[in-house]
Amino acid sequence: MAKEKGSRLIANNKKAYHDYFIEDHIEAGIELCGTEVKSLRMGKCSIKESFIRIEHEEVFIYGMHISPYEKGNIFNKDPLRVKKLLLHKYEIRKLKGKIAEKGYTLVPLQVYFSNSLVKVEIGLAKGKKLFDKRQDIAKKDQRREAERDFKVRNLQ
């Protein structure tokens, strides 16, 4: 069976960029069963309300919803079950040290296929305050208006 080339996005967590400052990105594998992979190939995954914890030198993702595979019958697992993320020990220790600092957390940013393997992009994040979110919204509005003005000038 030929492997796919490149990567294909399955799920994206746009809310994480709105709620957190993302300071570091880490790629991790994920431990899945066969019917879950088939469901992911169909694009049925959500990571909007999910979060990541480190317990006993292992990394787990909670709240990641993978819809049951339609033809999977008895082999389907619970859609919201806790899934283990696959990282090297030195990466886990590094993340654990960063999380010990006040205000840092781990959030999933993307789920994607990388050469037929399912990967999760983890972000080391620091929470935003309300005024930070307002500043981001104001910057987006300014950029949107500038693009609109530029477009109008070029059309005339």
Side-chain angles (χ1 to χ4, degrees):
M1 190 169 144
K3 288 189 174 183
E4 296 176 15
K5 298 291 182 206
S7 64
R8 189 184 74 169
L9 185 66
I10 302 167
N12 196 1
N13 191 357
K14 293 180 183 177
K15 189 177 179 184
Y17 291 99
H18 183 263
D19 293 340
Y20 300 99
F21 292 113
I22 308 299
E23 296 190 5
D24 196 11
H25 299 269
I26 297 119
E27 182 182 69
I30 185 166
E31 192 175 273
L32 299 170
C33 70
T35 55
E36 289 176 324
V37 175
K38 289 183 178 189
S39 186
L40 286 174
R41 289 202 184 280
M42 295 170 60
K44 297 187 176 181
C45 177
S46 174
I47 56 171
K48 287 184 180 165
E49 297 297 321
S50 60
F51 59 96
I52 297 171
R53 281 194 182 152
I54 299 176
E55 299 170 356
H56 308 294
E57 300 296 321
E58 294 180 329
V59 184
F60 296 97
I61 186 167
Y62 293 83
M64 179 179 173
H65 186 276
I66 299 176
S67 300
Y69 183 57
E70 295 161 0
K71 300 171 186 168
N73 59 37
I74 61 168
F75 299 107
N76 281 331
K77 301 285 186 189
D78 178 32
L80 289 173
R81 76 180 179 91
V82 178
K83 295 157 191 71
K84 184 177 177 181
L85 296 179
L86 308 172
L87 290 165
H88 292 285
K89 268 193 177 164
Y90 69 89
E91 291 175 320
I92 295 172
R93 287 188 191 125
K94 178 180 149 189
L95 290 174
K96 202 171 186 179
K98 290 280 190 174
I99 290 175
E101 294 178 31
K102 190 175 179 189
Y104 283 100
T105 186
L106 293 174
V107 291
L109 301 175
Q110 291 181 346
V111 178
Y112 57 94
F113 281 107
S114 175
N115 295 332
S116 77
L117 298 174
V118 180
K119 301 288 185 178
V120 178
E121 185 177 345
I122 301 170
L124 182 66
K126 191 166 189 154
K128 284 186 182 179
K129 305 285 187 233
L130 183 61
F131 63 87
D132 292 329
K133 292 179 188 177
R134 287 181 184 155
Q135 287 174 352
D136 285 349
I137 291 170
K139 285 179 186 176
K140 283 182 186 176
D141 289 342
Q142 287 176 343
R143 191 180 73 236
R144 198 175 298 129
E145 287 178 23
E147 287 174 359
R148 193 178 305 128
D149 292 342
F150 182 74
K151 186 176 179 182
V152 169
R153 283 188 208 136
N154 286 341
L155 290 176
Q156 293 174 350

